[in-house]
Amino acid sequence: MKEVILIKDGEIALKGLNRKTFEDVLKKNIKLSLYGLGKFKITSAQSTSYVIPLSEDFDIDEACERVSRIFGIVSFSRAGICEKDLDKILNFAPKYLAEQLENTKTFKVEAKRSDKKFPYKSPEICRELGGRILEKFPHLTVDVHNPEMTVTVEVRDFAAFVHTDPERGAGGIPVGTGGNAAILISGGIDSPVAAYMMAKRGVKLTAIHFASPPYTSERAEQKVVKLLKKVCRYSGPMTMYTVPFTKIQETIKDKCPEELFTIIMRRLMMKISERIAKDNNCCALITGESLGQVASQTINAIECTDEASKMVVFRPLIGMDKQEIIDISYKIDTFKTSIEPYEDCCTVFTPKHPRTKPILKYVKQAEEAANFREMIEEALQNLKITNINQRED
Ligand code: ATP
Ligand code: MG
């Protein structure tokens, strides 16, 4: 049985002159995402893209899974291909959809005839196919207003496609059409969700992770890689930079006032991240901060953190409750990994009483006195690079 995946573009339809670029990026993203599943081609017509398998072994189940995670797609359907001949369509459709029809009570048929040369008009196709389905599945009734299932026949240029109700796509806009940004990623619950949310708005990601061995372990870093592998099923492949942060954190501990440890550490993360971001053509930083969640996420603390870099910082979780963030982390399958109990550099040397209203002047004085300049350069020269993609290895 030959099948295709029909894909309907999402917000792309609204983008006027940019439409072509958006379509091209989406097509490239679909290609990349389906890599390794067998031979296929993609064609586009009438705001629909078709994934057409070209080899017998093409894994269409897995392809549908992957398509469901590509941003820029509003809905998609797995459809059976049939010759453009009414008799053949009438034979094929009830067989192809047998399992779904058996498990439904009410249905209707819809026909879309974009090939105007096809000798039967849409109402005739609906009537004939509706009748044939009722013959084969006598338990069914037709309900044109509120059917449990809609059987659709699309008569297109090169074939007819038969499918039921489309599945909802991932929405958003295609990754790569919204510029580049760097996500500061920890092993926690929040930052992977923040990464997902910005990728959904078309942003291509670079990841930055701060590690402080031996206070943080190799396994903590592996946990971050595991999280990013989940995120890249939505965002596409990315490069991860691991920043050696031990010396800087030890210096903060030795030379800075205890109540400012966290805020200074966060400022240094921003300074270093800004440099890595620039080197990677990124114009923004992304964090998983949410207002008021911890001492370093009060308005004053965020103001103080922001001053450390000139780059725009996106905080897509800023107004969300923890439970709302957790719900998304379940959806994108990062939750279970996030709660594995490995230490993060943020939890090394945490002060007993962190300042919730740090005063910028004193923070900067403390930073100047400890003089991090050379340490920042040294860290930047010793970045570890990991390529993140969907592949198992
Ligand atoms: P998360 O769940 O993402 O760890 P959090 O609620 O625990 O967030 P913090 O630990 O204060 O909050 O971190 C705030 C943000 O700072 C994180 O969301 C992340 O963007 C960034 N961050 C924290 N630790 C690291 C790290 N080790 N490497 C890179 N970025 C980090
Ligand atoms: Mg954390």
Side-chain angles (χ1 to χ4, degrees):
M1 158 101 51
K2 277 197 163 173
E3 290 183 290
V4 289
I5 307 174
L6 304 185
I7 293 173
K8 303 268 183 216
D9 303 346
E11 279 182 47
I12 282 183
L14 305 171
K15 299 291 174 188
L17 290 175
N18 288 332
R19 190 184 166 114
K20 175 89 175 70
T21 324
F22 277 61
E23 278 178 356
D24 289 348
V25 174
L26 179 60
K27 196 166 161 182
K28 198 181 96 209
N29 292 350
I30 297 172
K31 261 191 193 155
L32 197 65
S33 167
L34 302 187
Y35 178 84
L37 299 183
K39 275 201 183 142
F40 63 93
K41 70 171 180 181
I42 302 174
T43 61
S44 303
Q46 296 139 340
S47 76
T48 306
S49 302
Y50 307 79
V51 175
I52 305 170
L54 296 176
S55 61
E56 282 299 313
D57 63 346
F58 184 77
D59 186 347
I60 197 154
D61 293 321
E62 176 64 18
C64 286
E65 275 287 319
R66 293 193 189 177
V67 163
S68 76
R69 293 190 290 258
I70 300 173
F71 294 128
I73 294 175
V74 100
S75 68
F76 64 96
S77 321
R78 180 173 174 161
I81 309 179
C82 178
E83 221 179 286
K84 284 197 298 184
D85 172 294
L86 187 62
D87 271 342
K88 290 202 169 129
I89 295 172
L90 296 182
N91 270 327
F92 173 79
K95 271 193 224 139
Y96 177 62
L97 302 174
E99 203 182 315
Q100 285 131 293
L101 289 166
E102 259 155 31
N103 293 307
T104 302
K105 292 197 191 73
T106 60
F107 79 105
K108 74 168 176 183
V109 179
E110 247 180 39
K112 292 179 189 162
R113 193 180 63 125
S114 49
D115 172 11
K116 300 296 177 206
K117 285 191 220 113
F118 190 68
Y120 300 91
K121 295 212 165 112
S122 298
E124 282 176 279
I125 305 173
C126 291
R127 207 170 44 240
E128 292 288 327
L129 181 56
R132 184 66 66 91
I133 290 175
L134 285 172
E135 254 171 49
K136 304 259 174 196
F137 300 89
H139 74 282
L140 288 175
T141 46
V142 173
D143 179 344
V144 287
H145 299 297
N146 198 13
E148 263 178 53
M149 188 173 123
T150 301
V151 172
T152 303
V153 180
E154 304 191 23
V155 183
R156 298 262 182 173
D157 295 348
F158 49 97
F161 300 117
V162 174
H163 59 88
T164 55
D165 301 284
E167 284 180 55
R168 197 165 158 184
I173 47 184
V175 171
T177 58
N180 303 333
I183 169 77
L184 278 74
I185 183 106
S186 70
I189 295 168
D190 303 335
S191 39
V193 172
Y196 159 83
M197 287 183 63
M198 294 312 296
K200 184 169 180 175
R201 298 313 299 163
V203 172
K204 185 158 174 24
L205 302 173
T206 294
I208 303 174
H209 174 64
F210 291 81
S212 291
Y215 307 104
T216 61
S217 62
E218 173 65 26
R219 294 187 70 183
E221 196 184 325
Q222 284 315 309
K223 176 184 169 185
V224 175
V225 171
K226 205 163 140 190
L227 286 169
L228 287 176
K229 274 184 164 288
K230 299 270 186 192
V231 171
C232 85
R233 298 184 312 161
Y234 294 89
S235 68
M238 67 183 114
T239 306
M240 165 181 165
Y241 292 91
T242 305
V243 183
F245 208 41
T246 315
K247 199 162 162 192
I248 290 178
Q249 282 203 284
E250 283 175 340
T251 310
I252 296 175
K253 178 174 178 272
D254 291 345
K255 300 205 171 151
C256 298
E258 184 178 328
E259 71 273 16
L260 298 182
F261 280 2
T262 313
I263 201 76
I264 291 176
M265 179 195 69
R266 298 204 51 74
R267 282 173 55 87
L268 292 165
M269 281 185 172
M270 298 314 248
K271 279 186 202 291
I272 294 172
S273 297
E274 182 179 30
R275 294 274 298 274
I276 299 172
K278 273 191 184 147
D279 285 347
N280 285 274
N281 281 325
C282 295
C283 339
L285 301 175
I286 305 165
T287 74
E289 287 160 304
S290 155
L291 193 65
Q293 204 184 75
V294 288
S296 60
Q297 296 176 19
T298 61
I299 289 186
N300 295 93
I302 288 178
E303 187 186 18
C304 214
T305 308
D306 252 6
E307 200 272 344
S309 87
K310 285 208 176 67
M311 217 169 235
V312 169
V313 182
F314 290 131
R315 297 179 170 88
L317 313 187
I318 199 73
M320 290 171 76
D321 291 346
K322 195 74 189 182
Q323 191 55 50
E324 292 172 311
I325 299 168
I326 289 174
D327 290 347
I328 299 179
S329 80
Y330 269 112
K331 180 176 135 184
I332 63 172
D333 196 29
T334 51
F335 184 75
K336 268 204 216 123
T337 308
S338 287
I339 59 169
E340 284 172 15
Y342 297 115
E343 61 298 312
D344 181 59
C345 70
C346 277
T347 51
V348 177
F349 313 136
T350 43
K352 280 194 209 77
H353 304 290
R355 271 275 155 89
T356 52
K357 289 188 179 170
I359 295 164
L360 186 59
K361 190 170 111 188
Y362 299 128
V363 174
K364 284 175 105 167
Q365 273 172 11
E367 245 173 51
E368 286 298 322
N371 192 5
F372 292 101
R373 274 183 210 100
E374 271 177 32
M375 281 173 256
I376 291 177
E377 297 308 319
E378 195 185 329
L380 284 168
Q381 263 156 38
N382 290 288
L383 298 174
K384 179 177 147 194
I385 299 178
T386 312
N387 292 316
I388 307 286
N389 55 49
Q390 294 196 67
R391 274 164 250 164
E392 307 283 336
D393 36 29

